[in-house]
Amino acid sequence: MSPDNEDELLAVVAFDLAWSPSGQNLAFIGATDGPSADVYLYDRHNGSTKRLTDGPHTAGMLQWSPDGKWIVHESISRIHFMRPGGRITLAVWAAAADGSEVKKLYDFPYQENVEMEVSQVFHGWIAEDRFVVTFESPYDPTVNRTYVVDVSKGDYVELPYYSFSYGGGALAPISETLLLNFDSNELPQGTTRHGLYVAPLE
């Protein structure tokens, strides 16, 4: 590639690069058209680039589904990462890699309560179209939530394991279980002791 060859330029501004499971397509966030940055897809076989989303907010945090059909991403209201509360996630969406559909999966909890600094942790996929995600706050563990999200249906189920220690979860995809590490200050209802628990996802 020549740095002077504009025919090889995919986007002037690009970030959050993510290759598809097959390695054929590269998804990225590009600021090419309009006031916001959107999801684009580059096909390495034919050299084409297409825009998958066109929303008023910036996209981010790309995650491919295992079958390569969906690209899960956030919509973000502002992205001043170095400022407290400077990055606010509004919702999570899924864009079809073939460009046929973009659907909202869920709104981000507590997006207006910036001081709690609620973050989203993507645990991984338990099926071709289902993934597990948790929402965590270092300041208030009672706001923590865990979702199993179904991309094909465009909905989610909230699990009762709402309050586990910050960063203390691990996904076991084959058995569809979540390992949760509770401490003595964050015991969920029905548990009697702190420690490591195995939580079913169905």
Side-chain angles (χ1 to χ4, degrees), residues 78 80 83-88 114-115 117:
R78 52 181 200 261
H80 299 297
R83 301 179 186 175
R87 183 182 187 279
I88 299 178
V114 178
E115 62 271 12
E117 294 187 12

Side-chain angles (χ1 to χ4, degrees), residues 86-145:
R87 183 182 187 279
I88 299 178
T89 302
L90 302 176
V92 173
W93 300 70
D98 62 6
S100 62
E101 184 180 6
V102 179
K103 64 173 73 173
K104 181 190 283 189
L105 301 179
Y106 53 88
D107 289 312
F108 194 78
Y110 306 106
Q111 58 184 264
E112 296 179 356
N113 206 338
V114 178
E115 62 271 12
M116 285 194 297
E117 294 187 12
V118 179
S119 61
Q120 181 170 233
V121 179
F122 185 88
H123 286 289
W125 298 83
I126 61 172
E128 298 291 347
D129 56 358
R130 289 193 299 153
F131 63 89
V132 179
V133 65
T134 62
F135 309 95
E136 300 176 340
S137 169
Y139 303 109
D140 185 359
T142 63
V143 308
N144 295 356
R145 299 180 181 185

Side-chain angles (χ1 to χ4, degrees), residues 6 11 20 30 42 54 58 62 64 66 68 100-102 110 112 115 117 119 131 134 142 161 163-164 179 186 197:
E6 292 189 1
S20 64
Y42 168 70
D54 182 12
T58 294
L62 303 180
W64 281 89
S100 62
E101 184 180 6
V102 179
Y110 306 106
E112 296 179 356
E115 62 271 12
E117 294 187 12
S119 61
F131 63 89
T134 62
T142 63
Y161 321 117
S163 177
F164 55 92
L179 300 178
E186 300 170 339
Y197 288 80

